[in-house]
Amino acid sequence: MSDTPSHAPVNSILPKWIRGPQDFIGGLALVAIAVFALWASSDLQGMRGFSFGAGTAPRMFAFLLLGLGVAVMLVGIVTEGAHLAKYHWRGPLFVSLAILSFAFLIRPMGLIVTAFSSFLISALGTPETKWTETIIVAVCLTAFCSLLFPYALGLPLQMLPKFMIR
Amino acid sequence: MGDIFSNLGLGFGVVFQLVQWTPAFLGGVSIPIPVNILLCLIGALVGTLVGVLPGIGTIATVAMLLPITFGLPPVGALIMLAGIYYGAQYGGSTTSILVNIPGEAGSVVTALDGFQMAKQGRAGPALAIAAIGSFFAGCVATVLIALLGAPLTKIALAFGPAEYFSLMVLGLIFAVVLAKGSVLKAIAMIVFGLLLSMVGSDIETGASRMAFNIPELADGLGFATVAMGLFGFAEIIRNLDAGGETDRQLVQQKVTGLMPTKKDLIASAPAIGRGTVLGSMLGILPGGGATIASFAAYTMEKKLSKTPSRFGRGAIEGVAAPESANNAAAQTSFIPLLTLGIPPNAVMALMVGAMTIHGIVPGPQVMQKQPDLVWGMIASMWVGNLMLLIINLPMVGIWVRLLRVPYRLMFPSIVVFCSIGIYSVNNAPTDVMLAGAFGLVGYWLIKHDFEPAPLLLGMVLGPLMEENLRRALLISRGDWSVFLTRPLSALLMAIAAALLVLAVLPSLRKKRDEVFVESEN
């Protein structure tokens, strides 16, 4: 976990009195999650006498997270800490797109098309990709997966697009 | 004593079980096949294969390979998973010795001296000592599990809900104290995991909790899905950030002369012994595991050594001790899982996930109702270690070649492989999307220096903790003091509280950080 730069970014949007922006934002996000969970579990039943309702435990954990989030934020204010790490967009974007396309294509298009296209989309995630080499590996991997999963492991996966098998 | 032998006998019986295979092309002639040994072998091989890939840690390897065991019968699946686990761990140390890229935190210390040895052309002996040390530690740990398994199960059966709850609290606190980084942030991650485990339907009332009427969420967040997202996808995205090709200093010399010299063996024998003892102890502790064991063993070796200056410059003890320790800990961490049903670390949490998928609820009952499963697994540990020793040393050349696969080709393959794996669990495209979302969450967590491993642990323990808390309070008629008035529970809680206090005390904190900082300078 050493990808956090130690030098201050030139124009930080956060005020100066926050000395550990990484922790501050991290804690803030935990608080947000906790508040969201409290809202999401607000329709559940609470304690009935001394027995737990469906909502008791979720709310308990949410309050705990809320407290811990605030504590992490406080640590971020009081102690000198790391600055926000630099985010890159290329890797996360194309890997996510590849996963999404897999989810949307697997039912209608079957494994062969889906595996191949997801491989190519995620390969966009780095500028180092060399396309001839990538396409060759994609073909090999697709072939390997279409043998491994349905035949060697016996998982019921549909191979071909729906319109071709009908 | 006789019990232990009969139990181990049962275990080895399961491992060496022969299944008659009657292929059509032989015309009715059946061949006996030792299925479980084969599964163990395949698991160890595949685990090493994936674990060797730089940047993929043990947890990620086990998470990724989880789906390939779904089609097997429960005993076979668990034996194979255990094989994958050891394989992945051994693969991780191979990478640290040869490329100086530890696949996971546990092998960071191995890289310190291992890579130096490799640079001096002694990669062979380093790898061999790692394997021999691991094998020795594995043997001791197997015996230890067999010895402690039955008595601990008896204790566990005497536990009531209050004790169980307190024990889990203690386990989580241990996990926090022994982990790297901020105690506060680790606790926050555990609670986040507990909260995530609440999604789905309530066990008692069946009410849908935080599922937003999404049918796929009705049964809760899939464990494999979250693990694969947090450890598989998030790691890929993070490695892309770092630039996959940057610091690969692969040792170019040919790996020759595999066998360590007599001097090497003499130097490393006591280190292996000490590493094994330390690792076994740290592994049994809830929250302990391979990482802390290897750090501690390395630190101890350096402290005990007459010439501490050799460490970091290719001292063979610096490879032998942590490798033995992490293998011993990896195995003994099965003890809390098998006897108490409580996973002490994230890998064991994955094991619970796998067991649950096969309909097994880990805990003392399993030991009694399905002894073949438990003892089969224990015996398979020893066999797995033997396999690692036999297959890995001759195959070092292949692993080295694997290390040369460029990341630009590796990561799309992992994305596709993981996606298929997740999809095949329930045949649900939504699971794939969820895993993707957790990949982004994991990436964000890494960027903010939150450890994802405690989250996973919290997520597995969540339902168990809730159930026991509810029961304990129901029995005590709503009286919260039950956790402090029952002696055993009070003791566990007191230890947990004391640990937490110690962990935040400045003096101990410094010492704890010292152990981890060792690797950085």
Side-chain angles (χ1 to χ4, degrees):
Chain A
M1 326 278 132
S2 58
D3 6 8
T4 47
S6 51
H7 57 87
V10 188
N11 44 358
S12 172
I13 41 163
L14 291 169
K16 277 234 168 64
W17 47 268
I18 297 169
R19 296 203 270 178
Q22 191 194 56
D23 281 359
F24 183 79
I25 300 288
L28 194 67
L30 293 183
V31 170
I33 292 166
V35 170
F36 177 74
L38 282 174
W39 169 78
S41 60
S42 60
D43 58 333
L44 296 169
Q45 198 177 26
M47 298 287 281
R48 284 163 304 164
F50 48 72
S51 79
F52 271 34
T56 313
R59 275 199 285 277
M60 207 167 70
F61 293 138
F63 273 118
L64 258 174
L65 188 65
L66 187 72
L68 288 163
V70 171
V72 174
M73 274 170 82
L74 286 177
V75 170
I77 292 174
V78 178
T79 55
E80 206 67 46
H83 288 276
L84 287 181
K86 211 172 148 220
Y87 284 86
H88 298 255
W89 59 272
R90 191 170 178 152
L93 176 73
F94 285 108
V95 170
S96 305
L97 275 181
I99 296 166
L100 269 185
S101 78
F102 186 94
F104 281 111
L105 289 180
I106 184 80
R107 280 274 168 85
M109 299 305 282
L111 183 70
I112 295 176
V113 176
T114 312
F116 188 72
S117 65
S118 284
F119 190 98
L120 294 186
I121 295 172
S122 56
L124 285 167
T126 171
E128 288 158 6
T129 298
K130 293 170 189 154
W131 286 102
T132 25
E133 164 196 89
T134 302
I135 288 170
I136 295 170
V137 176
V139 170
C140 296
L141 183 90
T142 308
F144 174 70
C145 284
S146 8
L147 291 176
L148 176 77
F149 284 96
Y151 297 106
L153 300 173
L155 296 171
L157 286 169
Q158 171 203 329
M159 284 291 109
L160 295 167
K162 257 199 183 124
F163 61 84
M164 281 173 77
I165 34 174
R166 245 181 301 168
Chain B
M1 213 59 203
D3 269 7
I4 293 155
F5 286 118
S6 66
N7 284 335
L8 276 181
L10 171 69
F12 279 104
V14 172
V15 173
F16 290 105
Q17 196 180 46
L18 297 175
V19 172
Q20 298 295 327
W21 185 49
T22 323
F25 60 85
L26 283 178
V29 182
S30 56
I31 311 164
I33 294 185
V35 175
N36 287 333
I37 288 200
L38 276 180
L39 287 174
C40 185
L41 176 74
I42 296 171
L45 259 177
V46 179
T48 319
L49 190 84
V50 178
V52 139
L53 303 173
I56 301 178
T58 316
I59 307 175
T61 307
V62 179
M64 263 180 228
L65 295 175
L66 204 55
I68 68 171
T69 63
F70 287 165
L72 301 169
V75 180
L78 288 174
I79 287 179
M80 185 163 172
L81 265 180
I84 290 173
Y85 178 30
Y86 308 133
Q89 225 164 23
Y90 189 76
S93 32
T94 311
T95 345
S96 8
I97 291 173
L98 292 176
V99 220
N100 201 15
I101 302 179
E104 36 129 17
S107 30
V108 167
V109 281
T110 310
L112 295 178
D113 280 285
F115 185 62
Q116 291 304 324
M117 282 182 72
K119 265 181 48 199
Q120 295 159 14
R122 301 195 344 112
L127 287 165
I129 277 293
I132 294 167
S134 296
F135 177 68
F136 176 76
C139 294
V140 174
T142 306
V143 174
L144 201 64
I145 297 175
L147 280 173
L148 287 179
L152 268 178
T153 309
K154 282 207 188 85
I155 299 176
L157 286 172
F159 273 27
E163 283 79 15
Y164 253 108
F165 181 79
S166 306
L167 186 69
M168 281 185 260
V169 172
L170 177 64
L172 288 176
I173 297 293
F174 253 119
V176 165
V177 174
L178 297 181
K180 195 180 171 181
S182 154
V183 172
L184 181 66
K185 283 169 126 177
I187 299 180
M189 279 301 100
I190 286 177
V191 176
F192 187 18
L194 292 174
L195 192 60
L196 284 177
S197 74
M198 294 292 109
V199 176
S201 45
D202 177 30
I203 338 159
E204 273 172 41
T205 62
S208 162
R209 303 199 282 197
M210 300 189 272
F212 309 104
N213 291 325
I214 301 169
E216 280 83 0
L217 285 183
D219 283 336
L221 290 165
F223 184 75
T225 315
V226 175
M228 203 98 82
L230 283 180
F231 290 96
F233 291 146
E235 278 299 307
I236 292 171
I237 301 176
R238 190 180 75 103
N239 286 337
L240 282 178
D241 263 21
E245 311 297 322
T246 41
D247 53 350
R248 285 241 204 140
Q249 335 156 250
L250 185 59
V251 174
Q252 295 300 335
Q253 286 105 318
K254 267 191 86 181
V255 180
T256 47
L258 209 53
M259 276 336 277
T261 59
K262 204 173 170 194
K263 203 180 127 216
D264 288 341
L265 285 175
I266 292 169
S268 46
I272 290 175
R274 283 190 290 262
T276 303
V277 173
L278 195 63
S280 307
M281 287 191 310
L282 285 169
I284 299 176
L285 290 183
T291 310
I292 183 79
S294 51
F295 276 100
Y298 187 80
T299 314
M300 184 168 89
E301 251 355 272
K302 201 173 166 183
K303 286 249 159 74
L304 287 177
S305 171
K306 279 178 211 131
T307 47
S309 57
R310 285 193 308 118
F311 281 76
R313 295 206 176 87
I316 199 158
E317 302 97 300
V319 177
E323 278 304 302
S324 321
N326 82 26
N327 205 50
Q331 277 196 23
T332 51
S333 60
F334 273 95
I335 294 178
L337 176 71
L338 291 175
T339 56
L340 307 170
I342 295 175
N345 56 38
V347 180
M348 291 303 121
L350 278 170
M351 286 284 175
V352 174
M355 287 179 163
T356 322
I357 287 164
H358 287 289
I360 306 158
V361 182
Q365 291 85 3
V366 179
M367 200 77 136
Q368 294 186 325
K369 285 186 194 147
Q370 287 166 294
D372 55 329
L373 184 108
V374 175
W375 294 104
M377 205 159 133
I378 292 172
S380 84
M381 291 174 185
W382 186 80
V383 178
N385 275 300
L386 187 67
M387 301 256 176
L388 280 182
L389 192 66
I390 298 170
I391 59 177
N392 276 320
L393 292 181
M395 287 179 82
V396 165
I398 296 177
W399 305 142
V400 174
R401 218 161 297 155
L402 253 181
L403 288 171
R404 297 215 169 96
V405 176
Y407 198 68
R408 61 173 187 273
L409 294 177
M410 210 167 74
F411 86 88
S413 319
I414 302 172
V415 170
V416 171
F417 199 78
C418 282
S419 301
I420 300 177
I422 300 163
Y423 178 72
S424 65
V425 178
N426 293 322
N427 273 357
T430 323
D431 282 354
V432 183
M433 279 190 255
L434 269 175
F438 272 101
L440 292 176
V441 171
Y443 175 65
W444 183 87
L445 291 177
I446 294 168
K447 285 285 177 190
H448 283 267
D449 222 0
F450 285 109
E451 294 270 344
L455 192 161
L456 207 59
L457 200 52
M459 205 180 141
V460 171
L461 287 178
L464 275 173
M465 282 184 91
E466 188 196 6
E467 201 187 327
N468 283 299
L469 179 66
R470 272 172 138 170
R471 269 199 221 143
L473 287 177
L474 207 60
I475 295 166
S476 75
R477 307 184 72 78
D479 183 6
W480 283 81
S481 68
V482 65
F483 296 107
L484 302 176
T485 46
R486 294 182 60 122
L488 198 55
S489 167
L491 178 71
L492 293 168
M493 282 292 192
I495 301 173
L499 267 175
L500 202 56
V501 170
L502 279 175
V504 288
L505 281 183
S507 60
L508 200 95
R509 262 208 80 74
K510 232 178 89 200
K511 212 158 205 166
R512 169 171 163 272
D513 291 342
E514 218 169 74
V515 177
F516 285 111
V517 161
E518 198 82 46
S519 62
E520 274 143 40
N521 40 37

